Amino acid sequence: MNHSDETLLDDADETVRVRLVVNGRKVACEVAPRETLVDCLRNSLELTGTHAGCEMGACGACLVQLDGRAVHSCLMFAVQADGAAINTIEGLSDSGLIADLQAEFHRRNALQCGFCTPGMLINAHELLSQVAQPSREEIRDALSGNYCRCTGYEAIVDAIDAVAKARSAGGGAT
Amino acid sequence: MKARAFSYFRAATIDQALDAHARAGDDARFIAGGQSLVPALSLRLQAPRLLIDITHIDALRGVRRDGGYLRIGALTRHCEMLSEPLIAEFAPLLHAAAPFVAHPAIRNRGTFGGSVALADPASEFPAMTLALDAEIEIAGASGGRRIKADDFFLDLFETALQPGELITAVFVPLFKADQRFAFDELARRRGDYALVGCGMLATFTGERVDDIRISFFSVGNTPTRVKGAEATLIGSSLDAERIAAAQAALEGDLAPPDSDEVPPAMRLHLARVLLGRLLGRLGEGA
């Protein structure tokens, strides 16, 4: 470290002010650079619907929408998200946009323990916003990054498939 | 599973990013998509003192034609490989490989330049730069340079990038009417690392192969061209005999490492199977 510039490095333990628009509301929080977005959402903003599972991008429990696209909130630091718009499961739920998905998950027992559900719903919402009528194969492919510890996959695929068909038929799932 | 403390700097220009790296005495890492780097930091496989965020550097963005090449900015995300019309038209092999790269949410963040820079031997895109005869554009303190993909991948996670250097773009020769491509991989689960993967690009006169580049991944320490197999295919049509000869040549081209999960003989067998399938598709006009 002979040539290092301490002015650039001496704030490793300091916090940084991060400004975000979360679920439509402007927020600011103080985070250490090493704090992941999922930890910021859960600990600083008390939005505990986003779950921290594997914390390495494999399980999908931490999915949120960042500037409109599904991303793993465990695979980015909160400082990287400064200035971004984030929707968590709380915001999507409140918006009513995924009410039919939620109802269908409930109806088909696709929730099970519920730990993976927020990520499953965010991913299902992303899929259906891009492909109106995905095949079961496409649904499975899209969900390949979401682990369900209860192994409830069949019911989850059923629920997404039913909502896709109901939406295409012009109404909500019934 | 938490990263060691580090400082964070958001660079607005390439010069700022390079300068910050130099000032940190090279104890720094550039971060773009971060889909491989963040897990590495969380597992403390890496613990730099400074993280330099390059995702806000406009010069690293965009896909455009540049002479006989498609210039793909380093920050182009994996999902854009699927959605960008220029990629589909002029670099269709990348378009074909993209759905196999991890999962949708990873593809929304991960960047093409980051994947090439990491040079994971099990990743799709580094191997495809070899099949495409791509050139990698690099910025560093001593200026910019372009290097052939053939000269870029040196060893396990080791590339021609020097400390503090940055990939700015990848130049892919434009896909031509007399060319065909094919891609596939064998994996236990969609989105998982492939047991074996392969992509190829061939130039034809009628049914005769004038040129072909075949690149495998998940078969060794680096993405790997199979020059012996390539040589057996040039100057002939892709009949069953030629395909069998190419499959046989893989024995000399590949030396898969031993692993508990996949013994070398099995990996070589899977490579032969995959090569046969893809050459069959090329022969049918894929």
Side-chain angles (χ1 to χ4, degrees):
Chain A
M1 297 306 300
N2 295 335
H3 307 291
S4 64
D5 181 339
E6 292 303 324
T7 59
L8 202 65
L9 299 171
D10 62 4
D11 58 351
D13 297 318
E14 307 262 313
T15 58
V16 180
R17 191 164 183 80
V18 171
R19 291 175 184 77
L20 307 164
V21 178
V22 180
N23 299 329
R25 291 177 51 195
K26 287 184 186 173
V27 298
C29 37
E30 301 285 334
V31 298
R34 70 186 190 125
E35 192 172 338
T36 55
L37 180 60
V38 62
D39 285 342
C40 173
L41 291 170
R42 289 179 58 85
N43 300 338
S44 302
L45 301 173
E46 299 185 350
L47 292 166
T48 53
T50 304
H51 292 162
C54 68
E55 295 190 86
M56 52 190 296
C59 80
C62 71
L63 290 185
V64 299
Q65 279 190 324
L66 180 100
D67 295 329
R69 298 300 293 262
V71 303
H72 294 270
S73 58
C74 76
L75 286 192
M76 60 188 297
F77 299 108
V79 281
Q80 292 178 273
D82 187 34
I86 290 159
N87 285 322
T88 68
I89 192 64
E90 289 90 347
L92 268 182
S93 186
D94 290 348
S95 73
L97 277 173
I98 58 167
D100 52 355
L101 273 168
Q102 290 168 306
E104 202 62 25
F105 267 60
H106 188 213
R107 183 172 297 117
R108 291 174 181 269
N109 197 27
L111 300 162
Q112 302 225 5
C113 87
F115 187 84
C116 74
T117 307
M120 290 283 185
L121 287 169
I122 296 230
N123 208 349
H125 178 57
E126 168 118 341
L127 172 66
L128 295 184
S129 66
Q130 291 177 352
V131 187
Q133 287 204 66
S135 65
R136 289 182 74 85
E137 198 53 40
E138 286 176 297
I139 295 171
R140 288 185 175 283
D141 189 26
L143 292 179
S144 63
N146 291 72
Y147 286 179
C148 168
R149 301 187 297 190
C150 316
T151 67
Y153 299 106
E154 204 63 27
I156 292 166
V157 174
D158 287 345
I160 296 168
D161 185 39
V163 169
K165 285 178 174 144
R167 286 186 185 178
S168 298
T174 55
Chain B
M1 295 295 290
K2 302 293 179 194
R4 200 186 74 174
F6 54 79
S7 296
Y8 171 85
F9 174 69
R10 184 181 279 197
T13 65
I14 292 170
D15 284 346
Q16 274 186 10
L18 298 177
D19 181 53
H21 203 289
R23 284 161 64 201
D26 287 337
D27 191 4
R29 288 300 307 253
F30 297 117
I31 189 166
Q35 302 299 279
S36 298
L37 180 57
V38 174
L41 295 172
S42 296
L43 292 164
R44 303 204 181 191
L45 298 172
Q46 297 190 31
R49 292 181 71 196
L50 175 68
L51 215 52
I52 303 163
D53 190 342
I54 59 170
T55 50
H56 298 268
I57 301 175
D58 285 338
L60 303 180
R61 282 182 201 294
V63 178
R64 64 168 192 269
R65 288 179 66 164
D66 186 324
Y69 292 85
L70 194 64
R71 182 189 190 277
I72 303 173
L75 289 178
T76 304
R77 298 196 191 275
H78 302 330
C79 60
E80 293 175 83
M81 294 290 169
L82 290 165
S83 64
E84 168 59 55
L86 288 172
I87 301 269
E89 184 175 358
F90 295 115
L93 181 58
L94 295 177
H95 182 79
F100 294 86
V101 178
H103 313 291
I106 302 272
R107 295 199 289 269
N108 283 344
R109 286 286 298 166
T111 67
F112 185 56
S115 176
V116 175
L118 181 64
D120 187 327
S123 282
E124 290 81 1
F125 287 145
M128 293 313 99
T129 64
L130 282 180
L132 290 164
D133 198 14
E135 292 177 27
I136 292 141
E137 184 187 68
I138 295 166
S142 52
R145 63 195 168 105
R146 264 164 80 161
I147 180 169
K148 288 263 191 192
D150 278 324
D151 302 319
F152 185 74
F153 303 103
L154 303 180
D155 205 340
L156 189 62
F157 297 113
E158 191 186 330
T159 69
L161 278 175
Q162 297 297 311
E165 285 190 327
L166 192 60
I167 292 181
T168 46
V170 176
F171 285 76
V172 176
L174 298 177
F175 185 67
K176 297 174 195 66
D178 58 357
Q179 290 186 313
R180 302 177 195 173
F181 68 94
F183 177 94
D184 208 349
E185 67 181 45
L186 302 171
R188 289 202 167 92
R189 180 178 64 109
R190 185 61 174 257
D192 215 335
Y193 286 112
L195 299 168
V196 174
C198 180
M200 54 182 65
L201 179 71
T203 308
F204 284 80
T205 299
E207 288 306 308
R208 190 188 72 215
V209 177
D210 289 334
D211 186 36
I212 186 163
R213 294 174 67 95
I214 305 172
S215 180
F216 276 87
F217 51 100
S218 282
V219 292
N221 281 353
T222 60
T224 308
R225 262 183 79 193
V226 288
K227 293 183 182 176
E230 289 173 5
T232 65
L233 297 165
I234 291 173
S236 171
S237 65
L238 292 174
D239 56 33
E241 199 180 322
R242 268 314 154 122
I243 292 176
Q247 287 173 306
L250 286 187
E251 181 132 29
D253 287 327
L254 299 177
D258 203 359
S259 81
D260 292 340
E261 256 190 287
V262 189
M266 177 180 163
R267 219 183 277 274
L268 190 58
H269 170 73
L270 294 175
R272 285 198 201 99
V273 169
L274 194 56
L275 183 68
R277 283 185 196 169
L278 292 179
L279 290 174
R281 279 191 225 161
L282 270 199
E284 288 161 16

